[in-house]
């Protein structure tokens, strides 16, 4: 039976996760390492980044931290060359680094805040993908997996969000399609994942009442945990998704399916891993 799952095995693969020190990025890095990949953690937070890399090494894979602010093109280029210097190649890249805002007042939202958010969430992601693809194209065999982290905010407009965040995430989904269209000829798959509200440091600013409302409007009955992304990330990083490209995988426990006005009829039994 185990051999049948080798399609998900990442032994011998090398990966890079931006914003990998905490939250969703850390979960992505952990899933990749659990499947056998060596993982580089790129982040602006050195202390947390070093800790995450150390926790991955405990899974018997290679991992190291490198400081990179994805709004800086030069640092992105150095990030890619550092990964290649240490690991010899780059097979999988997760472009996760991003910032959120809690401000639903676009009429007064400052332009400099818009620019800062776009520089990280959109321009930075595009630059990361560009240099990752250049590296993957140079390699033999020419192939790669690029996974961009968007959000359900890129698909529907969210309360506790704003135009800059939603527009950046929407743009990531469409950028993913265009890059997939162009880079299929190099055997590079480009897909995105759109999580819903995930319990990460980014979400820590939300109120308990807000979180209860999310539970009430999520058929799967609980707020998304970072671990809920292990399966989706592994799927898109592995041979299991070789024929899938340009797609946006919505992972939201059913939150965007429609139960906005009436609370959803939720799962009444605990999920399998909590029984
Ligand atoms: N938490 C959610 O509910 C949620 C939902 C959908 C999508 N997302 C998206 O997932 C991604 C990760 O979110 P999260 O909740 O884990 O956030 P988080 O704030 O908990 O963690 C983000 C990580 O990215 C790093 N980072 C921030 N700016 C950076 C930069 N300029 N360069 C490099 N690293 C940087 C931070 O230091 C941190 O380690 C973001 O793109 C976010 O928009 C989050």
């Amino acid at each position: 039976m185990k051999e049948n799952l080798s399609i998900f095995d990442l032994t011998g693969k090398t990966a890079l996760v931006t914003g990998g020190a905490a939250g969703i990025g850390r979960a992505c890095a952990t899933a990749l390492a659990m499947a056998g990949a060596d993982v580089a953690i790129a982040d602006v937070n050195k202390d947390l980044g070093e800790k995450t890399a150390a926790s991955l090494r405990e899974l018997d894979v290679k991992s190291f931290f490198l400081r990179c602010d994805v709004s800086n093109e030069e640092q992105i280029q150095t990030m890619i060359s550092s990964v290649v210097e240490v690991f010899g190649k780059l097979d999988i890249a997760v472009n996760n680094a991003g910032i959120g805002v809690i401000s639903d007042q676009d009429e007064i939202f400052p332009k400099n805040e818009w620019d800062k958010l776009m520089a990280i969430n959109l321009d930075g992601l595009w630059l990361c993908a560009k240099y990752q693809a250049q590296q993957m194209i140079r390699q033999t065999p020419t192939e790669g997996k690029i996974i961009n982290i968007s959000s359900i905010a890129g698909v529907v407009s969210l309360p506790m969000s704003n135009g800059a965040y939603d527009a950046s995430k929407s743009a990531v989904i469409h950028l993913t399609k265009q890059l997939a269209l162009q880079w299929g000829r190099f055997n590079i798959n480009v897909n995105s994942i759109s999580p819903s509200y995930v319990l990460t440091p980014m979400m820590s600013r939300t109120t308990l009442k807000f979180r209860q409302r999310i539970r009430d409007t999520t058929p799967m009955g609980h707020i998304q945990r970072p671990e809920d992304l292990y399966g989706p990330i592994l799927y898109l990083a592995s041979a299991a998704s070789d024929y899938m490209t340009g797609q946006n995988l919505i992972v939201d426990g059913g939150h965007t399916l429609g139960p906005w006005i009436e609370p959803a009829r939720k799962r009444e039994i605990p999920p399998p891993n909590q029984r």
Side-chain angles (χ1 to χ4, degrees):
M1 186 63 191
K2 196 158 180 267
E3 302 87 85
N4 294 340
L5 293 179
S6 62
I7 198 168
F8 294 104
D9 187 10
L10 299 180
T11 308
K13 299 286 183 188
T14 69
L16 162 69
V17 181
T18 69
I24 291 174
R26 187 180 198 280
C28 293
T30 305
L32 297 172
M34 278 165 42
D38 295 329
V39 188
I41 301 291
D43 205 291
V44 285
N45 189 327
K46 184 173 186 295
D47 289 348
L48 268 185
E50 300 274 16
K51 274 190 198 145
T52 298
S55 74
L56 299 187
R57 288 194 293 271
E58 280 171 22
L59 296 170
D60 279 340
V61 296
K62 290 184 198 143
S63 181
F64 69 100
F65 167 77
L66 57 99
R67 198 192 173 284
C68 174
D69 178 343
V70 300
S71 63
N72 182 314
E73 183 168 4
E74 225 171 273
Q75 290 184 24
I76 292 173
Q77 289 173 285
T78 307
M79 166 179 79
I80 305 291
S81 42
S82 304
V83 172
V84 176
E85 204 176 295
V86 177
F87 289 159
K89 59 177 181 148
L90 175 66
D91 300 311
I92 301 159
V94 181
N95 294 316
N96 158 82
I99 55 170
V101 275
I102 296 189
S103 155
D104 56 0
Q105 291 182 284
D106 263 273
E107 69 280 10
I108 56 166
F109 192 65
K111 171 75 163 62
N112 64 326
E113 291 286 316
W114 169 284
D115 290 342
K116 182 181 162 203
L117 186 142
M118 288 296 174
I120 297 172
N121 289 15
L122 183 56
D123 304 27
L125 184 142
W126 172 68
L127 285 168
C128 285
K130 170 181 163 175
Y131 290 111
Q132 289 154 2
Q134 285 184 9
Q135 174 57 34
M136 289 167 177
I137 292 165
R138 269 198 293 273
Q139 293 172 185
T140 308
T142 297
E143 61 183 12
K145 303 271 188 183
I146 296 179
I147 304 161
N148 298 324
I149 303 300
S150 178
S151 163
I152 54 167
V155 183
V156 293
S157 297
L158 291 183
M160 304 285 286
S161 185
N162 79 349
Y165 187 76
D166 289 16
S168 74
K169 292 302 179 181
S170 196
V172 164
I173 294 171
H174 207 75
L175 173 66
T176 297
K177 292 179 204 287
Q178 177 59 234
L179 301 182
L181 185 65
Q182 294 182 36
W183 297 341
R185 72 185 192 279
F186 302 119
N187 229 0
I188 299 173
N189 300 64
V190 192
N191 290 292
S192 60
I193 293 182
S194 287
S196 52
Y197 297 93
V198 189
L199 281 177
T200 66
M202 187 186 271
M203 272 282 285
S204 60
R205 289 166 290 171
T206 55
T207 62
L208 290 178
K209 187 174 166 224
F210 182 76
R211 291 181 213 171
Q212 185 53 46
R213 180 70 186 151
I214 294 168
R215 282 185 202 99
D216 288 344
T217 52
T218 300
M220 295 317 284
H222 64 85
I223 296 189
Q224 192 166 353
R225 302 156 300 195
E227 316 81 270
D228 291 320
L229 289 162
Y230 284 2
I233 201 80
L234 209 47
Y235 170 58
L236 292 182
S238 69
S241 60
D242 276 354
Y243 198 60
M244 178 162 154
T245 198
Q247 302 304 307
N248 179 44
L249 206 53
I250 296 178
V251 184
D252 70 349
H255 181 66
T256 53
L257 290 176
W260 295 86
I261 298 173
E262 283 297 320
R265 284 198 306 178
K266 287 177 292 192
R267 183 211 287 274
E268 279 159 16
I269 48 171
N273 58 0
Q274 287 177 21
R275 269 177 219 154

